[in-house]
Amino acid sequence: MQNNISSDNLKYYQEQDKENILKLRAVIDTLPKFCREYFLSIANSKAARTRLGYAYDIRTFFEFLHEQNPTLNKLNIRDFTLNVLDQVTREDIDEYLDYISLYDHEGRELSNELVGKKRKAAAVRSMFNYFFKMDKISHNAPSKIEMPKLKEKPIIRLEPNEIVEMLDVVEEGDKLTDKQKIYHNKTRIRDVAIITLLLGTGIRVSECVGIDLNDLDFENCGISIHRKGGKDSVIYFGDEVRDALMAYLAERNLIVPITGHEKALFLSLQNRRISVRAVENLVKKYAKNVTSLKKITPHKLRSTYGTNLYRETGDIYLVADVLGHSDINTTRKHYADQSDENRRRAARIVRLRENN
């Protein structure tokens, strides 16, 4: 059954899905024709954004083969056949991973560290696995290599005193440059609401920018959001978040948004729905006045909330539920590890001399 939904009635995440699907179709049209079958096979199990990422990464792989192989170099990538996958060796995959460390794409120099290599290798492996399981190829070279191993990085978050300092900077703007203060006078109330919301609920930046006016429920102090993975959920907020949102709404109700952005809660200075990039930039702007040693992003504010919630409750399942994690191991990995705090406590416990 078809759903006839006009663009005016689409939610933010639906608009993003629509854009990603159109981009995905455009990228698939540049890939070997057999790739369409693979992408159809994952259409119901992977989000549009994930499939688009796979398409970009798989395209990079075929561009590598086209560039490095003298026989394939004579063909258009669209004309590659499945036989090409059967001819790929383990050495080819190793060379590909080395290639993407630093390569040229349409005149731009691009590079990948371990995280990027692992993502690109996973996309290629997924495609090979599909055709191997369908008995359409007899060799599966990517399955023979070890995925790049990532080093565990310490969780970066704001300490309680840094949270207070950051909120002060957002509210007062004292540490901003003269140019930044000009914009701050126009966006202060909005920015306070955004930063307070991120710190007070732990929602993702995409969830934040996707909030519509009718998603707010002040009677129950809740916000309806669309979670990563496609689940709709209600998250609840405390008094500090409520006060910041209500102060912003008083200002927001006086703004006339441009056509198509009337439903959006948070607006840019151009009176359109604020973008993920804009929120990332404003977080960076305020955070660098608080700490120069930590690279604070909206996701780090999410980590800050998760850590504080775990410290207060000790309930890892509650933290997972509130943050919208589908796998409890993800939560445990990030928030149950209090090794740094334990090491600090150990330093205070041991006494070399008794106090007189």
Side-chain angles (χ1 to χ4, degrees), residues 43 48 50 120 124 156 215 242 273:
T50 301
K120 282 181 165 55
V124 172
I156 297 175
D215 290 330
R242 181 198 62 203
R273 185 187 296 274

Side-chain angles (χ1 to χ4, degrees), residues 43-181:
N44 295 322
S45 60
K46 303 291 184 183
R49 182 180 178 183
T50 301
R51 283 179 281 143
L52 178 59
Y54 276 25
Y56 284 138
D57 291 339
I58 289 172
R59 183 173 66 181
T60 301
F61 175 69
F62 283 117
E63 288 174 343
F64 159 76
L65 293 179
H66 185 264
E67 178 182 320
Q68 302 295 318
N69 188 292
T71 301
L72 295 178
N73 188 258
K74 299 174 183 177
L75 297 174
N76 187 299
I77 290 177
R78 286 280 290 162
D79 297 327
F80 286 8
T81 64
L82 265 172
N83 185 50
V84 169
L85 300 189
D86 252 332
Q87 295 174 3
V88 172
T89 66
R90 175 174 179 170
E91 289 73 22
D92 291 328
I93 301 298
D94 286 334
E95 287 183 10
Y96 169 65
L97 292 177
D98 180 66
Y99 167 82
I100 58 178
S101 296
L102 183 64
Y103 65 104
D104 182 83
H105 177 70
E106 297 180 351
R108 291 188 303 152
E109 191 177 84
L110 303 178
S111 63
N112 286 277
E113 296 184 359
L114 285 179
V115 174
K117 285 186 176 183
K118 185 171 184 178
R119 189 193 71 239
K120 282 181 165 55
V124 172
R125 175 179 280 190
S126 174
M127 178 184 65
F128 270 80
N129 285 345
Y130 169 75
F131 288 112
F132 185 75
K133 289 178 181 178
M134 297 299 291
D135 294 323
K136 295 196 173 185
I137 58 174
S138 56
H139 297 92
N140 188 354
S143 67
K144 298 177 181 179
I145 66 166
E146 289 189 18
M147 295 289 279
K149 295 182 179 179
L150 305 181
K151 296 180 180 179
E152 291 291 336
K153 294 182 178 180
I155 302 301
I156 297 175
R157 52 197 169 231
L158 293 175
E159 296 300 325
N161 64 302
E162 293 173 327
I163 294 174
V164 173
E165 189 175 350
M166 183 168 183
L167 289 172
D168 287 343
V169 170
V170 182
E171 289 180 347
E172 305 300 331
D174 292 339
K175 297 184 178 181
L176 302 178
T177 65
D178 291 339
K179 184 176 180 180
Q180 288 175 334
K181 287 180 180 179

